[in-house]
C-alpha cells in the first residue's frame, strides 16, 4: 500500500448538482483520427480529460462519478489497442492514486475481474483498499464491465440461493435483484453523459439507468472539460423528472 498524505474530508455544498453522474467516455479514437494521430494518443489525452473531470466533479458538488473505462465488448478490439488501454490504466493508478487519495476520493471498481492479468487485479485492489475510508467523492470505475453480464450474474446468485433452499422464489423482486448487482450501496445515476454524439447506452448501467436523465454531447472525450460538464448539468437541471408518476420534479 502506498504511503500517501491524509485525505481531504470536506467538500463544497452544491445542492443544485446531481448526486451521481455517470459518463460514457467516447471518441478517443475519432479525436486522434481527426488530427492524424495514433489512437493511443487519443486514449492518452482521454486520461487527461478524466483527471479534469474528477477535479471538476468535486468542485461542482457531485458525490458519485461513474466512468465506463473498459467494456466487456472491448476485447474485440485489436490486441495492440487493448495493450495500450491496459498500459494507460496501469500508469493512471500508479501515477494518480496518491493524489486521488489525498483529495479524499474513494475508488470503487465494478465489472468482472476473473481472467484479468494479476498485476491489473492487484492495482485495482490497491486502489480500493487505500481509498476505502474516503468520503469526498466516490469514483466508480466500470472496468471489464457489461450491464447484461452484471444482471445475469445477479440472477445466477439468486438462482443458487433458491437451489440451495436459502430463498423462496416468490421473494425475488426488482429490489432483491438490484441488491445483488456489483455496487448495490451506490445510488442510481441521476445523469448519464455520453460524449462524441453517439446516442445509446452500449451495455452501460442499463438496470440503474431506469430513471436517469441522458445527455449526449457532440464533442469527443479528450475535449471534455469542466465547462462541458457544467453544460450537461445545466441541461439536466431543465429536465422534469416524474419517476413514473404524474407529478413533475425539476432535476435539480
Amino acid at each position: 500500500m502506498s504511503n500517501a498524505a491524509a485525505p481531504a474530508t470536506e467538500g463544497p455544498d452544491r445542492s443544485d448538482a446531481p448526486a451521481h453522474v455517470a459518463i460514457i467516455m467516447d471518441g478517443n479514437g475519432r479525436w486522434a483520427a481527426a488530427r492524424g494521430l495514433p489512437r493511443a494518443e487519443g486514449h492518452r489525452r482521454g486520461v487527461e480529460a478524466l483527471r479534469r473531470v474528477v477535479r471538476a466533479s468535486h468542485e461542482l458538488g457531485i458525490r458519485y462519478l461513474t466512468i465506463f473505462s473498459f467494456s466487456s465488448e472491448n476485447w474485440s478490439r485489436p490486441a495492440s489497442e487493448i495493450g495500450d488501454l491496459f498500459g494507460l490504466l496501469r500508469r493512471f493508478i500508479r501515477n494518480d492514486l496518491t493524489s486521488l487519495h489525498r483529495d479524499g476520493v474513494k475508488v470503487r471498481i465494478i465489472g468482472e475481474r476473473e481472467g484479468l492479468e494479476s498485476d491489473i487485479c492487484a492495482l485495482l485492489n490497491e486502489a480500493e483498499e487505500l481509498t476505502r475510508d474516503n468520503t469526498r467523492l466516490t469514483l466508480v470505475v466500470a472496468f471489464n464491465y457489461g450491464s447484461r453480464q452484471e444482471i445475469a450474474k445477479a440472477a445466477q446468485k439468486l438462482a443458487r440461493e433458491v437451489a440451495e433452499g436459502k430463498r423462496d422464489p416468490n421473494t425475488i423482486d426488482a429490489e432483491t435483484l438490484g441488491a445483488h448487482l456489483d455496487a448495490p450501496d451506490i445510488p442510481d445515476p441521476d445523469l448519464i453523459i455520453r460524449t462524441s454524439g453517439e446516442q445509446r447506452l452500449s451495455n452501460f448501467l442499463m438496470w440503474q439507468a431506469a430513471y436517469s436523465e441522458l445527455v449526449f454531447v457532440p464533442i469527443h472525450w479528450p475535449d471534455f472539460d469542466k465547462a462541458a460538464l457544467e453544460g450537461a448539468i445545466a441541461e439536466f437541471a431543465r429536465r422534469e423528472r416524474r419517476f413514473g408518476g404524474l407529478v413533475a420534479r425539476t432535476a435539480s
Side-chain angles (χ1 to χ4, degrees):
M1 184 178 297
S2 303
N3 293 320
T9 56
E10 297 181 358
D13 181 13
R14 291 281 298 268
S15 58
D16 58 335
H20 185 175
V21 175
I23 304 180
I24 301 173
M25 307 180 296
D26 197 13
N28 289 347
R30 276 163 283 173
W31 181 93
R35 291 160 177 77
L37 299 171
R39 289 177 64 86
E41 179 62 17
H43 294 313
R44 191 187 69 77
R45 295 291 291 269
V47 171
E48 294 179 1
L50 174 59
R51 293 188 181 106
R52 292 195 298 270
V53 170
V54 170
R55 285 195 299 271
S57 294
H58 167 64
E59 293 167 1
L60 295 172
I62 294 166
R63 303 296 301 166
Y64 300 89
L65 174 67
T66 297
I67 57 169
F68 205 2
S69 172
F70 187 86
S71 82
S72 49
E73 285 77 26
N74 285 156
W75 291 105
S76 63
R77 295 189 178 190
S80 59
E81 182 168 353
I82 293 173
D84 289 339
L85 289 169
F86 277 40
L88 283 171
L89 175 71
R90 290 184 176 94
R91 287 197 292 277
F92 177 72
I93 294 179
R94 288 168 180 155
N95 297 339
D96 292 60
L97 182 57
T98 299
S99 60
L100 289 172
H101 180 50
R102 182 192 61 220
D103 293 340
V105 177
K106 175 190 288 188
V107 178
R108 294 280 299 274
I109 313 293
I110 59 174
E112 183 58 59
R113 301 192 198 188
E114 185 175 347
L116 295 177
E117 295 178 22
S118 59
D119 71 313
I120 291 287
C121 288
L123 286 170
L124 298 180
N125 292 337
E126 180 186 355
E128 287 192 308
E129 182 63 26
L130 176 65
T131 65
R132 62 184 306 167
D133 295 325
N134 293 342
T135 58
R136 216 174 189 189
L137 170 71
T138 298
L139 174 63
V140 183
V141 181
F143 186 79
N144 196 24
Y145 172 84
S147 188
R148 288 179 173 178
Q149 292 85 340
E150 181 188 27
I151 295 169
K153 191 167 63 176
Q156 288 174 358
K157 293 175 186 174
L158 288 167
R160 278 195 294 271
E161 292 178 9
V162 171
E164 293 169 357
K166 299 177 180 177
R167 176 179 294 279
D168 180 343
N170 292 320
T171 67
I172 299 175
D173 56 15
E175 183 177 354
T176 309
L177 195 146
H180 286 71
L181 297 175
D182 287 358
D185 55 314
I186 292 177
D188 292 343
D190 303 289
L191 168 63
I192 295 179
I193 302 168
R194 180 166 189 160
T195 59
S196 84
E198 303 291 347
Q199 299 188 6
R200 55 181 177 272
L201 288 177
S202 297
N203 205 15
F204 179 56
L205 300 181
M206 294 190 297
W207 180 276
Q208 299 88 340
Y211 293 104
S212 301
E213 297 298 325
L214 309 181
V215 173
F216 304 103
V217 296
I219 62 175
H220 296 314
W221 174 247
D223 289 330
F224 198 84
D225 56 12
K226 183 178 181 180
L229 180 59
E230 289 177 314
I233 291 173
E235 171 63 26
F236 167 81
R238 290 190 287 271
R239 304 281 178 87
E240 292 184 345
R241 309 186 74 189
R242 292 183 170 82
F243 299 95
L246 296 177
V247 179
R249 283 184 275 167
T250 56
S252 61

